[in-house]
């Protein structure tokens, strides 16, 4: 299974000289194996898909974790939407009030965007999911609601031999005493347990988190704790804060390494990185 | 055992921040969490008991009306909430294992998820005012 990080920045695209290394594009990741592919989230990083010839695929699937702008702002520029009759499936979290169609339409309609959903020439199929299990090609997928403002899910993707877990926006430590160290009481635990690779929110330093509690994101230190409790093999810390420059992220990571020794590999997610799982 | 749904986890995290006694049950009435103020009512500590089966915790105190008559379980707010998935409220008297009698009000509400699934119930205890019925 191959993982390509197309966008690892949180909140807003932040391209510039200071963010060249980690990248400024917002959340989007490609998962591919055996000629089948899944696109996770549709932040501005999804533009990378445009170098793929979509017409060679029978179908394309986008799995949205939630509908905050930094996870859907690339939808309008997703080339498969404009391939006539191509099957494009969008999977996204259900809401108790509005359908996925109406929520996506808020963005894909004037005045925010000139083209509406019904004008797209592809064959668009929407799927509302929650705590669900489903299959796309040979991929077995589990989704579950996780702690983040508004309906938000994480995904556990099982390929031929490996498990990749994707939870880019998550605040598992929300509460008086942080993460409860009992697997039954940890948001998203079943998604992450024993994963070969966990891609997880780690937007803040601990100091920043204490000022932004409840905003839906995690501190790097708590992300490490979360990965440790879930016994993952490899962690990618992602959803970098738009205020953090390359220099700052490098310094934060050096500090993190100095203070926290865990028996699994962990690193910062970088735009353009490719990881091959068995 | 799989992790609880986030609606349950968030209710626990909220209960942990409150100064009023809060009990959280699953759909069968098993007690899956109680906060520190509730520990005083139960005379037990969550860190020591962990989760408790319904038959285990429901006998810790008895419920009475103003005349000292036992209240049938079916009339208790939490039992009704678990049975009907509706909020319920009642004022009554409880007698703990230590023999203390206290007038309390209990409000129970169901936890119904985004997926419209009944996941459990929350019971909040209040020390009732003397003139409250």
């Amino acid at each position: 299974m191959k993982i390509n990080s197309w966008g690892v920045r949180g909140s807003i695209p932040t391209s510039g000289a200071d963010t060249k290394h980690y990248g400024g594009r917002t959340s989007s990741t490609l998962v591919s194996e055996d000629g089948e592919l899944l696109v996770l989230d549709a932040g501005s990083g999804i533009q990378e898909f445009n170098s793929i010839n979509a017409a060679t695929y029978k179908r394309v699937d986008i799995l949205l974790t939630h509908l905050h702008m930094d996870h859907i702002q690339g939808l309008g520029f997703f080339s498969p939407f404009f391939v006539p009759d191509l099957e494009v499936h969008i999977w996204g979290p259900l809401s108790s009030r509005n359908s996925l169609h109406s929520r996506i339409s808020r963005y894909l309609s004037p005045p925010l965007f000139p083209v509406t959903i019904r004008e797209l020439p592809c064959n668009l199929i929407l799927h509302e999911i929650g705590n669900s299990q489903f299959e796309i090609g040979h991929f077995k997928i589990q989704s579950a609601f996780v702690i983040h403002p508004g309906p938000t899910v994480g995904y556990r993707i099982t390929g031929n031999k490996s498990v990749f877990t994707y939870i880019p926006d998550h605040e598992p430590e929300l509460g008086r005493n942080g993460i409860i160290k009992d697997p039954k009481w940890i948001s998203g635990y079943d998604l992450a347990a024993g994963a070969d690779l966990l891609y997880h929110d780690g937007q803040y330093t601990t100091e920043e988190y204490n000022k932004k509690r409840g905003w839906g994101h995690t501190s790097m230190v708590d992300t490490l704790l979360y990965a440790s409790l879930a016994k993952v093999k490899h962690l990618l810390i992602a959803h970098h804060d738009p205020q953090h420059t390359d220099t700052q992220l490098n310094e934060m990571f050096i500090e993190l390494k100095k203070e926290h020794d865990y028996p699994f590999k962990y690193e910062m997610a970088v735009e353009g990185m490719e990881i091959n799982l068995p | 055992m799989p992790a609880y749904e986030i609606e349950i986890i968030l209710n626990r995290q909220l209960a942990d921040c409150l100064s009023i006694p809060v009990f959280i049950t699953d759909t069968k009435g098993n007690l899956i969490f109680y906060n520190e103020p509730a520990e005083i009512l139960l005379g037990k500590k969550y860190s020591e008991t962990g989760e408790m089966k319904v038959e285990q915790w429901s006998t810790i105190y008895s419920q009475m009306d103003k005349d000292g008559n036992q209240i049938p379980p079916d009339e208790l707010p939490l039992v009704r909430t678990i049975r009907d998935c509706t909020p319920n409220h009642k004022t009554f008297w409880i007698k703990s294992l230590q023999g203390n009698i206290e007038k309390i009000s209990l409000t129970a509400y169901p936890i119904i998820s985004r997926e419209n699934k009944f996941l459990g119930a929350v019971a909040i205890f209040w020390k009732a005012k003397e003139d409250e019925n």
Side-chain angles (χ1 to χ4, degrees):
Chain A
M1 181 160 35
K2 192 165 77 177
I3 314 298
N4 291 88
S5 292
W6 286 341
V8 299
R9 186 66 56 174
S11 311
I12 188 170
T14 317
S15 301
D18 290 344
T19 57
K20 221 161 137 185
H21 175 65
Y22 289 99
R25 287 176 166 176
T26 58
S27 298
S28 192
T29 293
L30 177 72
V31 178
S32 54
E33 188 173 60
D34 288 354
E36 291 174 343
L37 47 85
L38 307 171
V39 179
L40 307 180
D41 276 331
S44 63
I46 205 171
Q47 291 172 89
E48 278 298 311
F49 193 97
N50 297 340
S51 60
I52 295 173
N53 183 2
T56 61
Y57 291 90
K58 281 187 194 156
R59 61 181 275 175
V60 178
D61 291 82
I62 304 176
L63 281 65
L64 299 175
T65 55
H66 62 305
L67 278 79
H68 284 165
M69 200 59 182
D70 54 327
H71 293 255
I72 62 166
Q73 62 200 158
L75 275 179
F77 306 93
F78 186 55
S79 56
F81 276 173
F82 303 94
V83 177
D85 302 322
L86 175 67
E87 255 187 49
V88 180
H89 296 253
I90 299 182
W91 307 73
L94 60 83
S95 148
S96 48
R97 283 190 305 163
N98 297 308
S99 69
L100 185 59
H101 186 279
S102 78
R103 284 176 288 147
I104 291 175
S105 292
R106 280 187 201 162
Y107 169 48
L108 291 180
S109 61
L112 292 179
F113 199 74
V115 183
T116 63
I117 281 194
R118 65 182 169 77
E119 290 170 311
L120 297 175
C122 69
N123 177 15
L124 186 64
I125 300 157
L126 303 182
H127 307 264
E128 299 198 345
I129 50 157
N131 297 323
S132 313
Q133 296 198 348
F134 51 98
E135 291 183 12
I136 299 174
H138 76 290
F139 292 113
K140 290 183 174 55
I141 298 160
Q142 182 185 352
S143 61
F145 285 113
V146 294
I147 296 175
H148 188 68
T152 304
V153 294
Y155 292 104
R156 179 185 178 92
I157 298 163
T158 304
N160 291 331
K161 290 181 182 165
S162 309
V163 172
F164 172 53
T165 298
Y166 180 77
I167 318 178
D169 290 44
H170 191 199
E171 188 177 1
E173 68 269 62
L174 185 62
R176 197 175 66 166
N177 296 314
I179 295 175
I180 300 164
K181 296 178 189 69
D182 174 347
K184 269 198 298 187
W185 290 96
I186 299 174
S187 164
Y189 179 86
D190 297 338
L191 300 177
D196 294 287
L197 178 64
L198 169 64
Y199 180 103
H200 195 275
D201 189 334
Q203 181 158 341
Y204 304 132
T205 62
T206 302
E207 196 186 3
E208 287 167 341
Y209 177 73
N210 289 333
K211 290 177 190 157
K212 295 177 177 178
R213 208 176 281 269
W215 287 31
H217 300 289
T218 320
S219 73
M220 293 177 197
V221 170
D222 282 333
T223 298
L224 286 172
L225 173 63
Y226 182 81
S228 162
L229 291 167
K231 297 184 174 66
V232 307
K233 297 184 181 77
H234 184 176
L235 167 70
L236 282 182
I237 301 171
H239 210 269
H240 305 315
D241 193 283
Q243 302 291 323
H244 292 161
T245 64
D246 289 340
T247 309
Q248 285 170 316
L249 285 169
N250 285 336
E251 286 167 2
M252 285 172 198
F253 189 63
I254 289 167
E255 279 301 304
L256 206 61
K257 278 285 199 192
K258 249 194 252 169
E259 306 273 328
H260 301 278
D261 184 28
Y262 281 102
F264 55 86
K265 180 179 178 182
Y266 65 91
E267 60 189 312
M268 301 290 244
V270 179
E271 185 180 307
M273 78 193 308
E274 179 175 303
I275 292 179
N276 284 287
L277 299 176
Chain B
M1 186 185 167
Y4 289 118
E5 287 85 352
I6 57 164
E7 294 85 346
I8 296 276
I9 294 173
L10 286 169
N11 268 285
R12 171 180 170 162
Q13 292 282 28
L14 172 62
D16 202 31
C17 299
L18 302 178
S19 61
I20 48 174
V22 178
F23 297 80
I24 303 176
T25 76
D26 65 14
T27 55
K28 293 177 182 144
N30 299 313
L31 185 59
I32 57 175
F33 179 73
Y34 53 99
N35 65 0
E36 280 180 19
E39 289 178 345
I40 298 165
L41 271 179
L42 274 184
K44 293 177 182 296
K45 282 190 173 297
Y46 180 74
S47 59
E48 290 165 6
T49 65
E51 299 183 3
M52 295 166 81
K53 292 278 178 200
V54 61
E55 53 273 16
Q56 196 184 347
W57 81 284
S58 60
T59 54
I60 290 176
Y61 55 84
S62 55
Q63 304 90 2
M64 299 165 296
D65 63 16
K66 63 178 182 211
D67 301 318
N69 302 313
Q70 286 284 321
I71 300 174
D74 273 5
E75 289 180 23
L76 293 170
L78 184 56
V79 174
R80 295 174 71 157
T81 293
I82 291 168
R83 187 189 62 206
D84 304 334
C85 299
T86 55
N88 286 278
H89 176 84
K90 193 178 180 74
T91 297
F92 51 94
W93 283 256
I94 59 168
K95 185 178 181 182
S96 71
L97 281 181
Q98 290 78 29
N100 303 324
I101 294 177
E102 286 202 62
K103 187 180 182 185
I104 58 132
S105 286
L106 192 157
T107 300
Y109 66 85
I111 302 173
I112 298 171
S113 72
R114 273 199 193 102
E115 293 173 298
N116 211 22
K117 192 176 153 197
F118 175 53
L119 303 176
V122 174
I124 302 166
F125 284 67
W126 302 82
K127 196 165 184 178
K129 291 174 192 158
E130 276 313 305
D131 57 349
E132 193 177 340
N133 290 313

